Amino acid sequence: MKGKTTMDLENKDELTVETSDAVETTETEEVTEAAEDAVLEETVAAEETQKPARRGRGKKQKIETQEEKPQSEWTERVVQIRRVTKVVKGGKKLSFRAIVIVGNRKGQVGIGCAKASEVIIAIQKAIADGRKNLITVPIFKTTIPHPITGRSGAGSVMLRPASQGTGIIAGGAVRLVLELAGIENILSKSLGSKSPLNAANATLNALKSLTPFAEVAKKRGLTMAELLN
């Protein structure tokens, strides 16, 4: 019996020693893992702090400056866009005709007419054509110096001076031409053809034929005050 008890005690001692050794190994493993995690966190934080500094060294900061584009004094108004056809050997060729009025509202105005296979190209060509055919309109106190009639084809346009506050009594292409010319008070009447192109050309013909007061006074040998009185 004594031999058995001593053997049991020895076995118990060995088991306690083994368990204590296992506990110590697990504790050391946990400590090493915690230390490794701490080291990894420190390295990641250091890399994150270094990355933006390296990126910022080589790059220059871009300063956005919005420059305002100078606005042109010229104004363009589209009067008519019409589809036209031309008979050719293989059939019919379709294109678009654009009529555009160009003016600066300071006494200069022009009419452009152009054709192209696309609407945008036709408008651009008409604007360029209108700027080539500008005329100078003699304006006297926001109106025209004297009554006049302009003609183009089968259409004609009568223009009459108007007092202050009357406004532009006109419609269609005639009104657009007078507005872009810079006239504020005028009476008008379109006769004959109702075509916008004929009406615009007749108005331009009338404005082109106007004679300023200064030129008339110079021909008569009078001053402006004597002529107007």
Side-chain angles (χ1 to χ4, degrees), residues 23-57:
V23 170
E24 288 178 358
T25 53
T26 52
E27 287 179 356
T28 53
E29 287 177 358
E30 290 178 356
V31 170
T32 52
E33 288 179 359
E36 289 177 357
D37 293 336
V39 171
L40 287 173
E41 289 178 358
E42 289 178 358
T43 53
V44 169
E47 287 178 358
E48 288 179 354
T49 53
Q50 289 177 2
K51 281 180 181 178
R54 289 179 182 176
R55 289 179 183 175
R57 287 177 186 174

Side-chain angles (χ1 to χ4, degrees), residues 88-132:
V88 294
K89 187 176 180 180
K92 291 183 179 180
K93 182 181 178 182
L94 295 176
S95 58
F96 296 93
R97 185 190 70 176
I99 303 171
V100 180
I101 300 171
V102 182
N104 62 352
R105 301 180 188 271
K106 295 178 183 178
Q108 288 186 319
V109 67
I111 297 173
C113 181
K115 297 177 185 178
S117 58
E118 295 182 6
V119 177
I120 297 173
I121 298 173
I123 293 172
Q124 291 174 352
K125 290 171 68 176
I127 291 171
D129 184 47
R131 291 189 179 181
K132 291 177 184 177

Side-chain angles (χ1 to χ4, degrees), residues 161-182:
S163 59
Q164 189 72 26
T166 304
I168 299 174
I169 309 300
V174 180
R175 184 180 186 88
L176 291 176
V177 174
L178 297 174
E179 279 183 356
L180 295 183

